[in-house]
Amino acid sequence: MTTIPISGTCDPHFARLREAFTENFTQRGEPGGAIALMVDGRLVCDLWGGFRDAARERPWARETLVNFFSVGKAFTALVAARLVERRLLDLDAPAHRLWPEFGCNGKETITLRHMLSHQAGLPAIRQDLPDGAALDWNRMVAALAAETPWWQPGTAHGYHVNTYGYLVGELVRRASGRTVGQILREDVAGPLGADVHIGLPSTEHHRAAEFLWPPLLPERPPGPLDDDTLMKWNTYWNPPGISGSGWVNRPEWREAEIPSTNGHGTARGIARVYSALAAGGSIGGVDILSADMLAAATEEQSFGPDRILERESRFALGFQLPQAERPLGPNAEAFGHFGAGGSLGFCDPVARTAFGYVTNDMGPRWQNPRNKALLAAIYECL
């Protein structure tokens, strides 16, 4: 039996969390990953284990980072909220005031609020785009500016799996002159000392774990597709590779900014950002969001049947909120965001906790036994 290397530190009071993390490897098939838990701003658990490559030859190290997929949507939301707070963005102004090309084909009333809460009706692009187009920011935002909504904006919601980052990110760019990744690095992650990135510099690629993307991909349904089926297919697969398939371990993907999908970081970095949010938006003298703006950003905007996920989902302004099918512990005030494969970042202001979990495996995506076990262990210890 292969010995699973697990390293790091954990306060004895949180021994059950260490056990659950170990069991992810021994019982739940975890190949490699890390967890970090902060309570009252103090790092009480910082563990990593397994391997950072498919060959299982390179152990996960303290500074190993990995693509955490939609965990980054919350950081994109945080960047947008900072600009709203500074009155550079308006949640309820038509997006075309900043982005004139966008104001056509039924998109004239779409706002930043619609985008952040997945109500914009733009989860997919109809025009067939070539593989690699996801890395071309200008091409992607031009395609979205020309698109017609799949439903009347504001009347329903559906998870904008990959388009969310381009939509919000283009408004951020036009309002501030900087990209989501730049603002995250310069105004949030840098001051906090948080190892999270949207657009990973080439100098940091040596730290990136190989993500174990599944070899078998779904096949496109045969024949002409009805509008609803086409919407759901294109959400994940147009352009090919927009979800990461074929690209996730390539340097071009790591360096690009795809704020919905290609964020990279450590569990410790995720927990550090959420530790500030758990404390009301400020920690250690670093202010990343006012308490009032944070309250607005975490207020429910969408809840109910999701046009893409075909189940209920619940969103604030870019943050996922707990629901019975997918709780974030016992307290309703918790908020955060899951990522493909089970990665997770969240905080619970009531319990004064912040948590990050990263993995390099595309495990179960909605009900993930690994992050469920970790969440249960956290609250057992608390």
Side-chain angles (χ1 to χ4, degrees):
M1 180 178 176
T2 303
T3 301
I4 304 296
I6 293 179
S7 304
T9 60
C10 188
D11 186 306
H13 186 76
F14 293 89
R16 177 65 196 112
L17 179 56
R18 183 185 186 110
E19 290 174 9
F21 183 61
T22 303
E23 290 164 359
N24 276 355
F25 294 93
T26 60
Q27 300 177 22
R28 292 181 280 270
E30 179 80 272
I35 60 170
L37 177 68
M38 301 186 76
V39 179
D40 285 327
R42 183 173 71 91
L43 188 62
V44 298
C45 187
D46 182 20
L47 298 172
W48 56 93
F51 299 90
R52 52 177 292 188
D53 61 333
R56 298 193 171 222
E57 294 175 347
R58 303 168 66 197
W60 203 281
R62 184 179 188 276
E63 302 304 326
T64 298
L65 43 71
V66 70
N67 198 136
F68 48 53
F69 296 96
S70 290
V71 171
K73 285 186 173 73
F75 299 149
T76 302
L78 173 57
V79 165
R82 286 176 58 84
L83 297 187
V84 171
E85 185 175 68
R86 287 154 180 76
R87 300 186 178 179
L88 294 173
L89 281 174
D90 184 328
L91 285 167
D92 297 308
H96 67 79
R97 290 186 185 174
L98 279 173
W99 185 0
E101 305 93 319
F102 188 79
C104 64
N105 297 333
K107 302 191 301 300
E108 293 84 354
T109 62
I110 292 177
T111 65
L112 175 61
R113 186 183 300 274
H114 290 141
M115 294 174 177
L116 286 167
S117 58
H118 302 272
Q119 298 184 73
L122 295 168
I125 295 169
R126 290 177 175 85
Q127 174 194 359
D128 286 338
L129 295 174
D131 197 14
L135 306 182
D136 185 338
W137 185 269
N138 290 334
R139 184 166 191 170
M140 291 298 295
V141 298
L144 286 165
E147 191 54 79
T148 299
W150 298 82
W151 64 80
Q152 184 179 345
T155 63
H157 77 281
Y159 189 35
H160 288 44
V161 179
N162 294 305
T163 58
Y164 165 97
Y166 297 104
L167 292 167
V168 176
E170 183 63 6
L171 288 185
V172 164
R173 188 186 69 81
R174 288 174 180 255
S176 70
R178 293 187 290 166
T179 66
V180 169
Q182 288 172 324
I183 295 175
L184 179 66
R185 179 176 64 251
E186 295 166 6
D187 298 352
V188 178
L192 285 173
D195 194 359
V196 294
H197 313 262
I198 293 175
L200 185 67
S202 59
T203 53
E204 304 299 322
H205 288 193
H206 67 282
R207 298 197 287 131
E210 179 183 1
F211 195 88
L212 311 183
W213 193 275
L216 297 177
L217 298 175
E219 293 185 5
R220 189 181 192 274
L225 304 183
D226 63 74
D227 207 47
D228 193 60
T229 304
L230 180 66
M231 174 183 70
K232 291 168 185 171
W233 177 263
N234 282 9
T235 290
Y236 291 96
W237 306 111
N238 182 43
I242 191 171
S243 294
S245 176
W247 288 94
V248 69
N249 295 312
R250 294 168 64 168
E252 303 97 317
W253 173 271
R254 290 172 177 159
E255 287 183 52
E257 285 195 27
I258 307 175
S260 312
T261 315
N262 84 329
H264 287 72
T266 63
R268 190 169 53 256
I270 294 169
R272 177 63 178 164
V273 175
Y274 276 102
S275 69
L277 300 179
S282 177
I283 194 168
V286 179
D287 300 322
I288 63 170
L289 208 61
S290 71
D292 287 346
M293 189 66 237
L294 180 58
T298 54
E299 183 178 341
E300 180 186 298
Q301 305 291 317
S302 307
F303 185 29
D306 188 299
R307 292 282 306 272
I308 298 299
L309 299 177
E310 299 182 296
R311 53 168 61 93
E312 284 195 340
S313 64
R314 185 172 181 238
F315 294 98
L317 292 175
F319 294 98
Q320 288 179 326
L321 299 177
Q323 58 190 94
E325 188 183 347
R326 214 181 195 195
L328 290 169
N331 297 319
E333 294 83 355
F335 59 90
H337 216 293
F338 292 87
S343 292
L344 171 63
F346 90 101
C347 68
D348 180 344
V350 173
R352 307 180 311 283
T353 59
F355 179 69
Y357 162 56
V358 295
T359 176
N360 65 342
D361 180 53
M362 188 65 78
R365 300 178 72 171
W366 184 256
Q367 294 289 346
N368 187 291
R370 298 171 193 159
N371 60 38
K372 287 179 71 174
L374 296 170
L375 281 164
I378 289 169
Y379 286 94
E380 283 181 42
C381 298
L382 292 171

